[in-house]
Amino acid sequence: QVQLVESGGGLVQTGDSLRLSCAASRWAFTTLTMGWFRQAPGKEREFVAEITWGRLTAFADSVLGRFSIFRDDTKSTVYLQMNSLKPEDTALYYCAATTRGLTHSRPENYDFWGQGTQVTVSS
């Protein structure tokens, strides 16, 4: 199965930026839709962003205009660029992948998951 490894998380201040990376292995990366989800303590996992193999993108309303998602198929890597970070962005961020063409931003439509990378934004 595909293996996903996230990196780039850390402790930052309000207004700072971070770029998360997710590297995929043992898979035909160009056939995958890639997504990012996050989960804060005591909260349900929520959709953040996704990008299809055709580079169509979708974002949660809470991050629209602040976050960007893009992929580099030559490196089998997807990125989440996070700008203007807020304390409410604090969460464990998960990379996910699916062979499905349409996910409707639903986690149950994703087949593979990384271990997560922690993002903490101080006030």
Short mmCIF file of all heavy atoms in Angstrom, two decimals, residues 62-105:
data_model
loop_
_atom_site.label_atom_id
_atom_site.label_comp_id
_atom_site.label_asym_id
_atom_site.label_seq_id
_atom_site.Cartn_x
_atom_site.Cartn_y
_atom_site.Cartn_z
N SER A 62 -12.94 27.56 6.53
CA SER A 62 -12.15 28.13 7.60
C SER A 62 -10.73 28.49 7.18
O SER A 62 -10.07 29.29 7.86
CB SER A 62 -12.10 27.18 8.80
OG SER A 62 -11.53 25.93 8.42
N VAL A 63 -10.25 27.92 6.08
CA VAL A 63 -8.87 28.18 5.65
C VAL A 63 -8.81 28.83 4.28
O VAL A 63 -7.72 29.21 3.83
CB VAL A 63 -8.04 26.88 5.63
CG1 VAL A 63 -8.09 26.20 6.98
CG2 VAL A 63 -8.50 25.94 4.53
N LEU A 64 -9.93 28.98 3.62
CA LEU A 64 -9.97 29.55 2.28
C LEU A 64 -9.36 30.95 2.28
O LEU A 64 -9.72 31.80 3.09
CB LEU A 64 -11.41 29.60 1.77
CG LEU A 64 -11.61 30.00 0.30
CD1 LEU A 64 -10.99 28.96 -0.62
CD2 LEU A 64 -13.10 30.16 0.00
N GLY A 65 -8.44 31.17 1.36
CA GLY A 65 -7.77 32.45 1.28
C GLY A 65 -6.49 32.53 2.08
O GLY A 65 -5.68 33.43 1.86
N ARG A 66 -6.30 31.61 3.01
CA ARG A 66 -5.09 31.58 3.82
C ARG A 66 -4.19 30.39 3.48
O ARG A 66 -2.97 30.50 3.55
CB ARG A 66 -5.44 31.51 5.31
CG ARG A 66 -6.21 32.73 5.82
CD ARG A 66 -6.35 32.70 7.33
NE ARG A 66 -7.10 31.53 7.79
CZ ARG A 66 -6.63 30.60 8.61
NH1 ARG A 66 -5.38 30.70 9.08
NH2 ARG A 66 -7.38 29.58 8.99
N PHE A 67 -4.80 29.27 3.14
CA PHE A 67 -4.05 28.05 2.84
C PHE A 67 -4.05 27.79 1.34
O PHE A 67 -5.02 28.12 0.64
CB PHE A 67 -4.66 26.84 3.54
CG PHE A 67 -4.48 26.82 5.03
CD1 PHE A 67 -4.03 27.92 5.73
CD2 PHE A 67 -4.78 25.66 5.74
CE1 PHE A 67 -3.88 27.90 7.11
CE2 PHE A 67 -4.63 25.62 7.11
CZ PHE A 67 -4.18 26.73 7.80
N SER A 68 -2.99 27.17 0.86
CA SER A 68 -2.90 26.73 -0.52
C SER A 68 -2.42 25.28 -0.54
O SER A 68 -1.70 24.85 0.37
CB SER A 68 -1.93 27.60 -1.32
OG SER A 68 -2.35 28.94 -1.37
N ILE A 69 -2.82 24.54 -1.56
CA ILE A 69 -2.36 23.17 -1.72
C ILE A 69 -1.82 23.02 -3.13
O ILE A 69 -2.40 23.52 -4.09
CB ILE A 69 -3.49 22.15 -1.43
CG1 ILE A 69 -2.94 20.73 -1.45
CG2 ILE A 69 -4.66 22.33 -2.39
CD1 ILE A 69 -3.95 19.69 -0.95
N PHE A 70 -0.69 22.36 -3.25
CA PHE A 70 -0.14 22.09 -4.56
C PHE A 70 0.67 20.81 -4.51
O PHE A 70 1.03 20.32 -3.44
CB PHE A 70 0.70 23.27 -5.08
CG PHE A 70 1.84 23.69 -4.17
CD1 PHE A 70 3.14 23.27 -4.43
CD2 PHE A 70 1.62 24.53 -3.09
CE1 PHE A 70 4.19 23.67 -3.62
CE2 PHE A 70 2.67 24.92 -2.27
CZ PHE A 70 3.96 24.50 -2.54
N ARG A 71 0.97 20.26 -5.67
CA ARG A 71 1.67 18.99 -5.74
C ARG A 71 2.79 19.05 -6.75
O ARG A 71 2.73 19.78 -7.74
CB ARG A 71 0.69 17.86 -6.09
CG ARG A 71 0.02 18.00 -7.45
CD ARG A 71 -1.16 17.05 -7.60
NE ARG A 71 -0.75 15.66 -7.56
CZ ARG A 71 -1.58 14.64 -7.30
NH1 ARG A 71 -2.86 14.89 -7.02
NH2 ARG A 71 -1.12 13.40 -7.30
N ASP A 72 3.81 18.27 -6.48
CA ASP A 72 4.94 18.11 -7.37
C ASP A 72 5.02 16.64 -7.72
O ASP A 72 5.51 15.83 -6.94
CB ASP A 72 6.23 18.59 -6.71
CG ASP A 72 7.42 18.56 -7.66
OD1 ASP A 72 7.34 17.90 -8.71
OD2 ASP A 72 8.44 19.21 -7.35
N ASP A 73 4.52 16.29 -8.89
CA ASP A 73 4.44 14.88 -9.27
C ASP A 73 5.82 14.27 -9.52
O ASP A 73 5.98 13.06 -9.43
CB ASP A 73 3.57 14.72 -10.52
CG ASP A 73 2.10 14.97 -10.24
OD1 ASP A 73 1.72 14.98 -9.05
OD2 ASP A 73 1.33 15.13 -11.20
N THR A 74 6.81 15.10 -9.83
CA THR A 74 8.15 14.58 -10.03
C THR A 74 8.78 14.12 -8.72
O THR A 74 9.69 13.30 -8.72
CB THR A 74 9.07 15.62 -10.69
OG1 THR A 74 9.27 16.72 -9.80
CG2 THR A 74 8.45 16.12 -11.97
N LYS A 75 8.28 14.64 -7.60
CA LYS A 75 8.78 14.28 -6.28
C LYS A 75 7.78 13.46 -5.48
O LYS A 75 8.05 13.11 -4.33
CB LYS A 75 9.15 15.53 -5.48
CG LYS A 75 10.25 16.37 -6.11
CD LYS A 75 10.54 17.59 -5.26
CE LYS A 75 11.66 18.42 -5.87
NZ LYS A 75 11.95 19.63 -5.06
N SER A 76 6.63 13.16 -6.07
CA SER A 76 5.56 12.43 -5.38
C SER A 76 5.23 13.07 -4.04
O SER A 76 5.08 12.39 -3.02
CB SER A 76 5.95 10.95 -5.20
OG SER A 76 6.14 10.32 -6.45
N THR A 77 5.10 14.39 -4.05
CA THR A 77 4.91 15.14 -2.82
C THR A 77 3.79 16.16 -2.98
O THR A 77 3.68 16.81 -4.03
CB THR A 77 6.20 15.87 -2.42
OG1 THR A 77 7.24 14.90 -2.21
CG2 THR A 77 6.01 16.68 -1.15
N VAL A 78 2.97 16.28 -1.95
CA VAL A 78 1.94 17.30 -1.90
C VAL A 78 2.28 18.25 -0.76
O VAL A 78 2.83 17.84 0.27
CB VAL A 78 0.53 16.70 -1.71
CG1 VAL A 78 0.40 16.00 -0.36
CG2 VAL A 78 -0.54 17.77 -1.87
N TYR A 79 1.96 19.53 -0.93
CA TYR A 79 2.30 20.55 0.04
C TYR A 79 1.05 21.29 0.49
O TYR A 79 0.10 21.47 -0.27
CB TYR A 79 3.27 21.57 -0.56
CG TYR A 79 4.54 20.97 -1.10
CD1 TYR A 79 4.62 20.57 -2.43
CD2 TYR A 79 5.66 20.82 -0.30
CE1 TYR A 79 5.78 20.02 -2.94
CE2 TYR A 79 6.83 20.28 -0.80
CZ TYR A 79 6.88 19.88 -2.12
OH TYR A 79 8.05 19.34 -2.62
N LEU A 80 1.07 21.71 1.73
CA LEU A 80 0.04 22.59 2.27
C LEU A 80 0.73 23.84 2.77
O LEU A 80 1.46 23.80 3.77
CB LEU A 80 -0.74 21.92 3.40
CG LEU A 80 -1.89 22.75 3.98
CD1 LEU A 80 -3.02 22.88 2.96
CD2 LEU A 80 -2.41 22.12 5.27
N GLN A 81 0.53 24.94 2.06
CA GLN A 81 1.09 26.22 2.47
C GLN A 81 0.08 26.92 3.36
O GLN A 81 -1.03 27.21 2.93
CB GLN A 81 1.41 27.08 1.25
CG GLN A 81 1.96 28.46 1.57
CD GLN A 81 3.32 28.40 2.22
OE1 GLN A 81 4.19 27.66 1.78
NE2 GLN A 81 3.51 29.18 3.28
N MET A 82 0.47 27.21 4.59
CA MET A 82 -0.41 27.81 5.57
C MET A 82 0.11 29.20 5.92
O MET A 82 1.20 29.34 6.46
CB MET A 82 -0.51 26.94 6.82
CG MET A 82 -0.94 25.51 6.54
SD MET A 82 -1.15 24.53 8.05
CE MET A 82 0.55 24.50 8.64
N ASN A 83 -0.68 30.21 5.62
CA ASN A 83 -0.34 31.58 5.91
C ASN A 83 -1.32 32.18 6.90
O ASN A 83 -2.43 31.67 7.09
CB ASN A 83 -0.34 32.42 4.63
CG ASN A 83 0.66 31.96 3.61
OD1 ASN A 83 1.75 31.50 3.95
ND2 ASN A 83 0.31 32.09 2.33
N SER A 84 -0.91 33.26 7.53
CA SER A 84 -1.78 33.96 8.50
C SER A 84 -2.36 33.01 9.52
O SER A 84 -3.57 33.02 9.78
CB SER A 84 -2.89 34.71 7.75
OG SER A 84 -2.35 35.64 6.82
N LEU A 85 -1.52 32.21 10.09
CA LEU A 85 -1.98 31.18 11.02
C LEU A 85 -2.62 31.78 12.27
O LEU A 85 -2.19 32.83 12.76
CB LEU A 85 -0.83 30.27 11.41
CG LEU A 85 -0.44 29.26 10.34
CD1 LEU A 85 0.94 28.68 10.62
CD2 LEU A 85 -1.48 28.15 10.27
N LYS A 86 -3.63 31.09 12.75
CA LYS A 86 -4.38 31.50 13.92
C LYS A 86 -4.32 30.40 14.98
O LYS A 86 -4.10 29.24 14.64
CB LYS A 86 -5.85 31.75 13.55
CG LYS A 86 -6.06 32.73 12.42
CD LYS A 86 -7.53 32.80 12.04
CE LYS A 86 -7.77 33.76 10.89
NZ LYS A 86 -9.21 33.79 10.49
N PRO A 87 -4.54 30.75 16.25
CA PRO A 87 -4.55 29.71 17.28
C PRO A 87 -5.54 28.58 16.99
O PRO A 87 -5.27 27.43 17.33
CB PRO A 87 -4.95 30.49 18.54
CG PRO A 87 -4.43 31.86 18.30
CD PRO A 87 -4.64 32.10 16.82
N GLU A 88 -6.66 28.89 16.35
CA GLU A 88 -7.64 27.87 16.03
C GLU A 88 -7.17 26.90 14.95
O GLU A 88 -7.84 25.90 14.68
CB GLU A 88 -8.98 28.49 15.62
CG GLU A 88 -8.86 29.59 14.58
CD GLU A 88 -8.83 30.98 15.18
OE1 GLU A 88 -8.11 31.18 16.19
OE2 GLU A 88 -9.52 31.87 14.66
N ASP A 89 -6.03 27.19 14.31
CA ASP A 89 -5.44 26.25 13.37
C ASP A 89 -4.63 25.17 14.07
O ASP A 89 -4.17 24.23 13.42
CB ASP A 89 -4.54 26.98 12.37
CG ASP A 89 -5.30 27.94 11.47
OD1 ASP A 89 -6.39 27.56 10.99
OD2 ASP A 89 -4.80 29.05 11.23
N THR A 90 -4.44 25.30 15.36
CA THR A 90 -3.67 24.33 16.12
C THR A 90 -4.34 22.96 16.05
O THR A 90 -5.51 22.81 16.40
CB THR A 90 -3.54 24.76 17.58
OG1 THR A 90 -2.77 25.97 17.65
CG2 THR A 90 -2.85 23.69 18.41
N ALA A 91 -3.60 21.97 15.59
CA ALA A 91 -4.14 20.63 15.42
C ALA A 91 -3.04 19.69 14.95
O ALA A 91 -1.95 20.12 14.58
CB ALA A 91 -5.30 20.63 14.41
N LEU A 92 -3.36 18.42 14.96
CA LEU A 92 -2.54 17.42 14.30
C LEU A 92 -3.02 17.32 12.86
O LEU A 92 -4.19 17.03 12.61
CB LEU A 92 -2.66 16.07 15.01
CG LEU A 92 -1.74 14.96 14.54
CD1 LEU A 92 -0.28 15.31 14.83
CD2 LEU A 92 -2.10 13.65 15.23
N TYR A 93 -2.12 17.57 11.93
CA TYR A 93 -2.47 17.59 10.51
C TYR A 93 -2.09 16.27 9.86
O TYR A 93 -0.95 15.81 9.96
CB TYR A 93 -1.76 18.74 9.81
CG TYR A 93 -2.41 20.08 10.07
CD1 TYR A 93 -2.32 20.68 11.33
CD2 TYR A 93 -3.12 20.74 9.08
CE1 TYR A 93 -2.93 21.89 11.58
CE2 TYR A 93 -3.73 21.96 9.32
CZ TYR A 93 -3.63 22.53 10.58
OH TYR A 93 -4.24 23.75 10.82
N TYR A 94 -3.06 15.68 9.17
CA TYR A 94 -2.89 14.40 8.51
C TYR A 94 -2.91 14.55 7.00
O TYR A 94 -3.76 15.25 6.45
CB TYR A 94 -4.00 13.43 8.89
CG TYR A 94 -4.02 13.02 10.34
CD1 TYR A 94 -4.82 13.68 11.26
CD2 TYR A 94 -3.25 11.95 10.78
CE1 TYR A 94 -4.85 13.30 12.58
CE2 TYR A 94 -3.28 11.56 12.11
CZ TYR A 94 -4.09 12.23 13.00
OH TYR A 94 -4.12 11.85 14.32
N CYS A 95 -2.01 13.88 6.36
CA CYS A 95 -2.02 13.74 4.92
C CYS A 95 -2.80 12.47 4.56
O CYS A 95 -2.72 11.47 5.28
CB CYS A 95 -0.59 13.66 4.39
SG CYS A 95 -0.45 13.37 2.61
N ALA A 96 -3.55 12.52 3.48
CA ALA A 96 -4.33 11.37 3.06
C ALA A 96 -4.32 11.25 1.55
O ALA A 96 -4.09 12.23 0.84
CB ALA A 96 -5.78 11.48 3.56
N ALA A 97 -4.58 10.04 1.06
CA ALA A 97 -4.57 9.79 -0.37
C ALA A 97 -5.68 8.82 -0.74
O ALA A 97 -6.09 7.98 0.06
CB ALA A 97 -3.22 9.22 -0.81
N THR A 98 -6.16 8.96 -1.97
CA THR A 98 -7.20 8.07 -2.46
C THR A 98 -7.09 7.92 -3.96
O THR A 98 -6.60 8.83 -4.65
CB THR A 98 -8.61 8.58 -2.09
OG1 THR A 98 -9.60 7.67 -2.56
CG2 THR A 98 -8.87 9.96 -2.71
N THR A 99 -7.55 6.80 -4.46
CA THR A 99 -7.61 6.59 -5.90
C THR A 99 -8.94 7.05 -6.47
O THR A 99 -9.12 7.02 -7.69
CB THR A 99 -7.40 5.11 -6.25
OG1 THR A 99 -8.40 4.31 -5.60
CG2 THR A 99 -6.02 4.65 -5.81
N ARG A 100 -9.85 7.44 -5.62
CA ARG A 100 -11.15 7.92 -6.07
C ARG A 100 -11.03 9.28 -6.73
O ARG A 100 -10.26 10.13 -6.32
CB ARG A 100 -12.13 8.00 -4.90
CG ARG A 100 -12.47 6.66 -4.27
CD ARG A 100 -13.46 6.85 -3.13
NE ARG A 100 -13.92 5.59 -2.59
CZ ARG A 100 -13.29 4.92 -1.63
NH1 ARG A 100 -12.18 5.41 -1.10
NH2 ARG A 100 -13.79 3.78 -1.19
N GLY A 101 -11.82 9.48 -7.73
CA GLY A 101 -11.80 10.75 -8.43
C GLY A 101 -12.57 11.85 -7.73
O GLY A 101 -12.21 13.01 -7.81
N LEU A 102 -13.61 11.46 -7.01
CA LEU A 102 -14.45 12.40 -6.27
C LEU A 102 -14.53 11.96 -4.82
O LEU A 102 -14.95 10.85 -4.53
CB LEU A 102 -15.85 12.47 -6.88
CG LEU A 102 -15.95 12.98 -8.31
CD1 LEU A 102 -17.38 12.83 -8.81
CD2 LEU A 102 -15.50 14.43 -8.41
N THR A 103 -14.13 12.83 -3.90
CA THR A 103 -14.13 12.50 -2.47
C THR A 103 -15.22 13.22 -1.71
O THR A 103 -15.59 12.78 -0.61
CB THR A 103 -12.79 12.85 -1.82
OG1 THR A 103 -12.66 14.27 -1.70
CG2 THR A 103 -11.64 12.30 -2.64
N HIS A 104 -15.72 14.32 -2.25
CA HIS A 104 -16.67 15.18 -1.55
C HIS A 104 -16.11 15.64 -0.21
O HIS A 104 -16.87 15.92 0.72
CB HIS A 104 -18.03 14.48 -1.38
CG HIS A 104 -18.63 14.01 -2.65
ND1 HIS A 104 -19.17 14.86 -3.58
CD2 HIS A 104 -18.78 12.75 -3.15
CE1 HIS A 104 -19.62 14.16 -4.61
NE2 HIS A 104 -19.40 12.87 -4.36
N SER A 105 -14.78 15.68 -0.13
CA SER A 105 -14.07 16.13 1.07
C SER A 105 -14.37 15.27 2.29
O SER A 105 -14.22 15.72 3.42
CB SER A 105 -14.41 17.59 1.38
OG SER A 105 -14.11 18.42 0.27
#
